[in-house]
Amino acid sequence: FGPYVLAHQIARRVLHDPAGEHSVQALARSQGQASRTLQRHLAAHGLSCRAIATEARTRSAAQWLLDTPHGIAEIGFACGFADQPHFTREFVRQVGMTPARYRQAFTAA
């Protein structure tokens, strides 16, 4: 598989269960590869399991923010973030605004 096909497969796995275990070992097993082989293969193209999983979790959370009335902390937890501050930090890093601001900006249409 090419690195981007591999990244897509990993992202789909995370999107299917954002709060599940997505360690390098678990993701490598799901791809039939050794952990280090998976890491090297992704790193050669500037990718990492952590970055792919975080982006997929953030995408899932963004969808929840728009489609559900659930609280921000609950959404963060459901999407695999350890707590609300962690969720907010990663969401800002990925999206450029807080989850609350995102919800406000895109549900006000």
Side-chain angles (χ1 to χ4, degrees):
F1 294 116
Y4 301 106
V5 171
L6 187 58
H8 182 74
Q9 289 174 337
I10 291 169
R12 284 185 51 199
R13 179 177 173 84
V14 174
L15 285 169
H16 179 72
D17 181 16
E21 181 194 351
H22 300 298
S23 64
V24 172
Q25 294 79 10
L27 293 170
R29 259 193 320 274
S30 76
Q31 299 303 311
Q33 296 187 12
S35 299
R36 190 64 192 125
T37 300
L38 177 63
Q39 288 175 311
R40 273 195 308 270
H41 193 62
L42 292 173
H45 300 279
L47 301 169
S48 72
C49 288
R50 178 182 301 255
I52 294 166
T54 299
E55 182 178 341
R57 285 177 165 146
T58 302
R59 286 175 183 260
S60 182
Q63 197 64 49
W64 277 59
L65 287 165
L66 299 180
D67 294 344
T68 73
H70 297 298
I72 292 170
E74 185 178 3
I75 290 171
F77 183 74
C79 291
F81 295 96
D83 53 36
Q84 185 173 345
H86 177 227
F87 172 44
T88 299
R89 269 193 317 276
E90 292 299 334
F91 198 90
V92 168
R93 196 172 289 142
Q94 294 283 321
V95 179
M97 63 179 75
T98 66
R101 179 72 183 112
Y102 182 87
R103 177 179 263 172
Q104 180 185 32
F106 296 106
T107 58

